[in-house]
Amino acid sequence: MDHVLIQLILLTFVIHVIDTLGYSVRLNSVKTGQVALSFSIFNLFVLVSRTANMFQAPLIGKIIGFSIAKDLDPLSDMRYVIAAATAGTLAGVFVIPTFLKIFQIGVKKIALSGSVPSLVFEALHANNMKRIVKKATVPKKKMLHKLRFREIPKRFLLLHAVVTGIYTIGVLAANYSSLLVPSQNQLAAAASSGMINGAATIMLTFFIDPKSAIITDQAIRGKRPYGDVKALVILLITTKLVGTVLGQLLFLPAAKIIASFYQ
């Protein structure tokens, strides 16, 4: 089962790299004013992430099913997967400066050609891949200079960390809880992941996304400086990172709470 665990860890890593890069799209949309086009192109990256998510659940199911059959405890495996989420978020942070440079070029090119497939094929060309590598940049301390972090609501950030923690461990905790319930309730417990992630998504939609959108919109209309959006993105990524670490603490209690409904 080691190869299944490795596949799951890699998928989780990729998902969180892409999710982290998603926060930085706000910076490009404010800088260029091309909000709709920026998010349209980023949907390509989201598609890759969502496709990876589709394969994540069956891999988790394989590990849990094997553990049930062999009477094993896959707790350490689940923690490795959560750690992959943290590692993916960190990797995303280091990729953001390079990603933004390439993303800005992509937005300009699609504005001229109007074709997403042609942009994808052009990006995969060997010569363009070399140019992408040459544009690699690492984050620098000066990027944090004079940013107004105090302008971003603290409760909003705390909620984002908690919601991210729940979202990180939702599928894992639900599947793991199937080990803690009678055999006739194992499928029901595992299926609870949809409700948990659904609740986390609702919280993101109602409390996180609107506030982020307001700050971004105000910057586009000149009512806030660009630095406020930069501060927002940095703090959202930081609380996302905190949320994935928090997932390690939430995982086992969450699994036990889910299992308590199926005893």
Side-chain angles (χ1 to χ4, degrees), residues 64-86:
I64 297 298
F66 181 81
S67 300
I68 291 172
K70 300 294 183 180
D71 196 26
L72 300 172
D73 186 355
L75 179 60
S76 60
D77 292 347
M78 298 297 101
R79 295 205 180 279
Y80 284 134
V81 176
I82 299 170
T86 303

Side-chain angles (χ1 to χ4, degrees), residues 146-218:
K146 292 184 179 180
L147 294 182
R148 306 191 308 168
F149 292 109
R150 292 182 181 180
E151 297 297 318
I152 311 301
K154 301 302 179 288
R155 289 182 183 178
F156 160 77
L157 295 170
L158 178 62
L159 180 62
H160 183 252
V162 173
V163 172
T164 301
I166 295 170
Y167 195 81
T168 300
I169 56 98
V171 177
L172 295 169
N175 278 273
Y176 186 82
S177 72
S178 64
L179 296 167
L180 311 176
V181 301
S183 58
Q184 67 269 22
N185 292 331
Q186 287 176 339
L187 287 175
S192 299
S193 62
M195 290 187 291
I196 297 168
N197 281 356
T201 301
I202 289 170
M203 292 176 73
L204 281 170
T205 303
F206 277 88
F207 301 108
I208 306 298
D209 290 343
K211 186 63 180 178
S212 301
I214 288 170
I215 294 173
T216 304
D217 188 56
Q218 288 174 340

Side-chain angles (χ1 to χ4, degrees), residues 47-261:
L47 179 61
V48 174
S49 175
R50 295 295 176 264
T51 303
N53 256 316
M54 289 170 58
F55 292 100
Q56 191 183 36
L59 291 174
I60 296 170
K62 278 187 179 181
I63 293 173
I64 297 298
F66 181 81
S67 300
I68 291 172
K70 300 294 183 180
D71 196 26
L72 300 172
D73 186 355
L75 179 60
S76 60
D77 292 347
M78 298 297 101
R79 295 205 180 279
Y80 284 134
V81 176
I82 299 170
T86 303
T89 303
L90 276 172
V93 170
F94 285 99
V95 175
I96 281 175
T98 304
F99 170 77
L100 282 175
K101 282 185 176 181
I102 298 166
F103 189 81
Q104 192 169 354
I105 294 170
V107 170
K108 289 178 181 178
K109 284 187 176 295
I110 199 171
L112 294 172
S113 67
S115 173
V116 173
S118 65
L119 176 65
V120 174
F121 287 123
E122 187 177 346
L124 293 175
H125 193 278
N127 290 334
N128 289 328
M129 291 294 285
K130 290 177 182 178
R131 292 192 187 99
I132 289 172
V133 172
K134 287 180 180 178
K135 288 185 178 293
T137 309
V138 295
K140 298 176 182 177
K141 287 184 179 180
K142 68 178 183 180
M143 295 178 179
L144 306 177
H145 188 56
K146 292 184 179 180
L147 294 182
R148 306 191 308 168
F149 292 109
R150 292 182 181 180
E151 297 297 318
I152 311 301
K154 301 302 179 288
R155 289 182 183 178
F156 160 77
L157 295 170
L158 178 62
L159 180 62
H160 183 252
V162 173
V163 172
T164 301
I166 295 170
Y167 195 81
T168 300
I169 56 98
V171 177
L172 295 169
N175 278 273
Y176 186 82
S177 72
S178 64
L179 296 167
L180 311 176
V181 301
S183 58
Q184 67 269 22
N185 292 331
Q186 287 176 339
L187 287 175
S192 299
S193 62
M195 290 187 291
I196 297 168
N197 281 356
T201 301
I202 289 170
M203 292 176 73
L204 281 170
T205 303
F206 277 88
F207 301 108
I208 306 298
D209 290 343
K211 186 63 180 178
S212 301
I214 288 170
I215 294 173
T216 304
D217 188 56
Q218 288 174 340
I220 291 171
R221 288 185 286 129
K223 292 186 176 182
R224 275 179 179 265
Y226 170 73
D228 280 9
V229 181
K230 203 171 183 180
L232 170 69
V233 169
I234 291 170
L235 290 175
L236 284 176
I237 292 173
T238 301
T239 50
K240 171 177 164 51
L241 182 63
V242 171
T244 61
V245 175
L246 183 63
Q248 296 282 7
L249 300 176
L250 294 175
F251 174 70
L252 201 52
K256 290 179 179 178
I257 290 171
I258 295 169
S260 68
F261 289 99

Side-chain angles (χ1 to χ4, degrees), residues 5-15 84:
L5 177 60
I6 292 171
Q7 289 173 4
L8 179 57
I9 287 172
L10 289 174
L11 273 174
T12 303
F13 180 86
V14 169
I15 289 167

